[in-house]
């Protein structure tokens, strides 16, 4: 049986009232000793600073703009352009009274402004406190108070939650910066409770008018406080230092060295998992470390497939519920394979329509469905013999599974499932049908 962990210490039987202790296992890459840290990366600020130095003209952050009421192509900012914005936003925070150690909240969906605000925190030893954009007013109220948040960056459609009378802790805020702009009514309401409101452009201008030298953090300084979703009581804040963040990135570096298709500056990641969660944050930090590109979904998870087709990412990350939605219906083995991505991606956070799936199944050619199943079993058999997925059956990939790959944009080489264990059945589906390397990750 293949070994996935190395035993580095035997267990000990309890004596004289002491508890027994089980054996200690490590990742195979750490069998003899822990791999060394990268001496050039000590803080999250180092990750971004070095990327700007090494890849100033590379595409860093991408988003889709609406043109004549329709969603358009991705537009990009380079590492140097993002750096210039970070300098302005950081200076504006300092001009508003933020000092090293101040808590800065970020409340909204993934977007370039989210990252700019985060990097501005790193530049001035400020503590980033993400607020899940799907949380209700009660949880947001709790986190602002519990995390002692003084400043907040907020998505325009989330402003109403901060100015809601039920969000009593908002009164402690010094300033509020919208990702885009604020209405006159919102500005008046914010001023009435003592919050200084800014649009993104206004805050950038404030930073340009009041330049401030950066105050880089130390490895032991707190980088971020990430709160749980609060499904079991009040949200719990997890304190992560800058050293924690760089260790995550170093760990990905070491793991990716084992990946046969090395990640390069040409790689692209589609960000749609919450940046308030460490899984997406770590992946994006790794991409910045490599000088690669991160494109953000346009805000509609039901239209995520359109973003996939437009961006054509090379890495796709999801949580088990993304990949397991198809299992909420009772379908045959072959049908599950065929619809795995079609419905799990389209209905990321919604229960799939069983009637819609059945209708689609009925429209499939029975012969093609049978051939698909046979190709699946054939490729799986060769993979079970030790062949890598790309070499197990190129013919099966050509005849059937390239269509699954096409649903992910056509360029995905690596799929990461995280947040919770992925069932062995779904993991098998992914390994066989996605035409990509599939791995799971977890942390605690």
């Amino acid at each position: 049986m293949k070994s996935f962990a190395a035993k580095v210490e035997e267990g000990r039987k309890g004596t004289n009232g002491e508890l027994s202790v089980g054996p200690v296992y490590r990742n195979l890459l750490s069998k003899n000793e822990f791999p060394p840290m990268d001496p050039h990366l000590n803080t999250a600020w180092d990750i971004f600073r070095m990327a700007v130095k090494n890849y100033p003209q590379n595409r860093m952050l991408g988003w889709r703009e609406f043109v004549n009421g329709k969603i358009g192509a991705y537009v990009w900012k380079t590492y140097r352009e993002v750096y210039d914005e970070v300098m302005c936003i950081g200076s504006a925070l300092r001009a508003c009274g933020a000092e090293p150690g101040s808590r800065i909240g970020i409340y909204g969906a993934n977007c370039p402004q989210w990252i700019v605000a985060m990097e501005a925190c790193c530049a001035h030893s400020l503590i980033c406190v993400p607020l899940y954009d799907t949380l209700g007013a009660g949880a947001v109220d709790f986190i602002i108070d519990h995390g002692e948040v003084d400043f907040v960056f907020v998505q325009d459609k989330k402003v109403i939650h901060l100015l809601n009378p039920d969000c009593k802790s908002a009164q402690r805020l010094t300033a509020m910066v919208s990702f885009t702009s604020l209405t006159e009514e919102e500005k008046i309401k914010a001023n009435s409770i003592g919050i200084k409101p800014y649009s993104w452009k206004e805050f950038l201008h404030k930073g340009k008018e009041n330049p401030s030298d950066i105050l880089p953090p130390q490895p032991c300084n707190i980088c971020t406080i990430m709160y749980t979703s609060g499904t079991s009581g009040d949200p719990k804040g997890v304190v992560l230092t800058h050293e924690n963040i760089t260790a995550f990135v170093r760990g990905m570096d070491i793991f990716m060295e084992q990946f046969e298709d090395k990640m390069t500056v040409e790689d692209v990641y589609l960000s749609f998992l919450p940046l308030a969660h460490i899984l997406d944050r770590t992946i994006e930090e790794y991409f910045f470390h490599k000088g690669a590109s991160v494109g953000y979904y346009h805000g509609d998870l039901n239209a995520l497939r359109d973003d996939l087709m437009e961006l054509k990412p090379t890495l796709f990350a999801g949580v088990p519920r993304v990949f397991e939605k198809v299992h909420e219906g009772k379908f045959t083995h072959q049908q599950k394979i065929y619809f795995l991505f079609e419905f799990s991606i389209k209905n990321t956070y919604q229960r799939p329509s069983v009637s819609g799936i059945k209708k689609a199944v009925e429209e499939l050619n029975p012969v093609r469905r049978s051939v698909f199943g046979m190709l699946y079993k054939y490729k799986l058999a060769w993979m079970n013999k030790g062949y890598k997925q790309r070499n197990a059956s190129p013919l099966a990939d050509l005849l059937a599974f390239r269509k699954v790959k096409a649903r992910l944009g056509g360029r995905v080489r690596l799929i990461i499932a995280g947040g919770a264990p992925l069932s062995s059945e779904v993991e098998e589906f992914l390994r066989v049908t996605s035409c990509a390397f599939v791995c799971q990750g977890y942390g605690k």
Side-chain angles (χ1 to χ4, degrees):
M1 181 178 293
K2 187 174 181 180
S3 176
F4 295 94
K7 183 187 291 186
V8 296
E9 188 177 313
E10 295 291 342
R12 301 189 304 275
K13 187 175 181 179
T15 57
N16 299 323
E18 294 184 357
L19 296 176
S20 298
V21 178
V24 177
Y25 292 88
R26 284 186 195 161
N27 186 295
L28 293 175
L29 297 175
S30 304
K31 180 178 180 179
N32 298 318
E33 60 181 358
F34 290 112
M37 295 288 289
D38 188 329
H40 302 294
L41 300 180
N42 297 306
T43 66
W45 176 245
D46 288 339
I47 296 172
F48 178 58
R49 176 182 59 82
M50 292 299 295
V52 174
K53 178 182 177 181
N54 296 328
Y55 316 103
Q57 299 307 316
N58 283 19
R59 300 188 313 178
M60 180 180 177
L61 306 179
W63 71 100
R64 302 182 71 180
E65 292 183 332
F66 282 88
V67 180
N68 297 324
K70 296 183 179 179
I71 193 68
Y74 273 89
V75 292
W76 296 88
K77 284 186 177 177
T78 65
Y79 278 81
R80 171 54 65 178
E81 290 170 335
V82 174
Y83 180 86
D84 291 341
E85 274 202 13
V86 167
M87 291 296 100
C88 290
I89 294 298
S91 293
L93 282 168
R94 295 292 304 281
C96 287
E99 295 292 338
S102 293
R103 272 77 160 178
I104 313 298
I106 307 180
Y107 184 27
N110 301 7
C111 64
Q113 293 91 326
W114 212 111
I115 294 297
V116 171
M118 180 190 80
E119 297 294 358
C121 290
C122 294
H124 293 271
S125 299
L126 306 172
I127 300 172
C128 175
V129 183
L131 305 172
Y132 267 103
D133 71 307
T134 55
L135 295 185
V140 171
D141 182 42
F142 174 85
I143 294 173
I144 291 175
D145 179 60
H146 187 266
E148 301 178 342
V149 175
D150 297 316
F151 304 85
V152 67
F153 291 87
V154 58
Q155 187 179 7
D156 51 357
K157 64 181 181 181
K158 299 294 183 180
V159 172
I160 188 173
H161 297 302
L162 287 180
L163 301 180
N164 189 312
D166 293 333
C167 190
K168 295 180 174 57
S169 63
Q171 297 179 15
R172 67 167 287 122
L173 297 175
T174 300
M176 173 179 67
V177 184
S178 171
F179 285 170
T180 51
S181 59
L182 295 165
T183 66
E184 283 304 315
E185 182 181 356
E186 290 169 341
K187 290 180 179 180
I188 293 172
K189 198 167 185 179
N191 278 310
S192 70
I193 58 176
I195 304 175
K196 180 63 177 176
Y198 294 94
S199 69
W200 189 259
K201 287 184 178 179
E202 289 171 342
F203 211 58
L204 282 173
H205 180 72
K206 186 177 185 67
K208 290 178 182 177
E209 294 294 309
N210 301 275
S212 175
D213 293 334
I214 65 172
L215 293 172
Q218 296 299 312
C220 61
N221 291 155
I222 297 174
C223 176
T224 185
I225 302 176
M226 288 191 161
Y227 280 81
T228 66
S229 59
T231 52
S232 56
D234 290 329
K236 283 73 173 179
V238 179
V239 178
L240 298 174
T241 66
H242 281 270
E243 190 174 33
N244 291 146
I245 301 299
T246 55
F248 295 155
V249 173
R250 176 58 177 154
M252 284 195 70
D253 242 346
I254 294 170
F255 175 79
M256 294 303 296
E257 288 173 3
Q258 317 304 312
F259 183 41
E260 56 183 304
D261 291 329
K262 307 301 182 187
M263 303 299 272
T264 71
V265 295
E266 300 299 324
D267 279 293
V268 182
Y269 172 60
L270 174 61
S271 172
F272 73 96
L273 295 176
L275 260 167
H277 191 282
I278 193 60
L279 175 59
D280 193 81
R281 168 75 184 264
T282 301
I283 293 173
E284 294 198 33
E285 291 277 15
Y286 175 74
F287 265 63
F288 301 153
H289 169 52
K290 289 295 184 182
S293 307
V294 176
Y296 297 91
Y297 83 115
H298 72 275
D300 183 2
L301 284 168
N302 291 320
L304 188 63
R305 185 177 173 188
D306 186 55
D307 293 329
L308 285 165
M309 296 300 104
E310 181 67 30
L311 187 64
K312 295 178 172 53
T314 57
L315 184 151
F316 184 82
V319 292
R321 62 177 172 175
V322 173
F323 301 121
E324 292 175 350
K325 277 295 181 182
V326 71
H327 288 267
E328 293 182 9
K330 302 298 182 180
F331 313 114
T332 66
H333 193 66
Q334 291 82 6
Q335 290 164 0
K336 287 179 181 179
I337 299 167
Y338 189 87
F339 290 106
L340 179 61
F341 286 98
E342 178 72 25
F343 290 94
S344 64
I345 293 171
K346 185 177 180 182
N347 300 282
T348 306
Y349 295 107
Q350 298 181 7
R351 180 175 291 274
S353 168
V354 176
S355 61
I357 295 177
K358 286 183 177 179
K359 181 179 178 181
V361 170
E362 291 171 358
E363 294 174 354
L364 287 177
N365 184 313
V367 174
R368 289 181 61 190
R369 193 185 314 145
S370 298
V371 171
F372 194 94
M374 288 188 292
L375 291 172
Y376 178 93
K377 294 177 180 178
Y378 180 78
K379 182 176 179 179
L380 177 61
W382 283 105
M383 291 179 68
N384 287 338
K385 292 180 180 180
Y387 283 78
K388 297 179 180 178
Q389 69 84 21
R390 64 164 52 184
N391 300 322
S393 180
L395 179 61
D397 292 340
L398 176 65
L399 296 177
F401 306 134
R402 63 185 173 88
K403 296 179 181 179
V404 176
K405 183 177 182 178
R407 289 189 176 90
L408 290 173
R411 297 202 306 157
V412 171
R413 296 181 291 121
L414 175 64
I415 293 176
I416 298 175
L422 188 64
S423 71
S424 58
E425 185 180 7
V426 174
E427 183 178 12
E428 178 190 289
F429 291 168
L430 291 171
R431 292 188 185 281
V432 174
T433 65
S434 68
C435 299
F437 184 82
V438 179
C439 66
Q440 293 193 61
Y442 69 93
K444 60 180 180 178

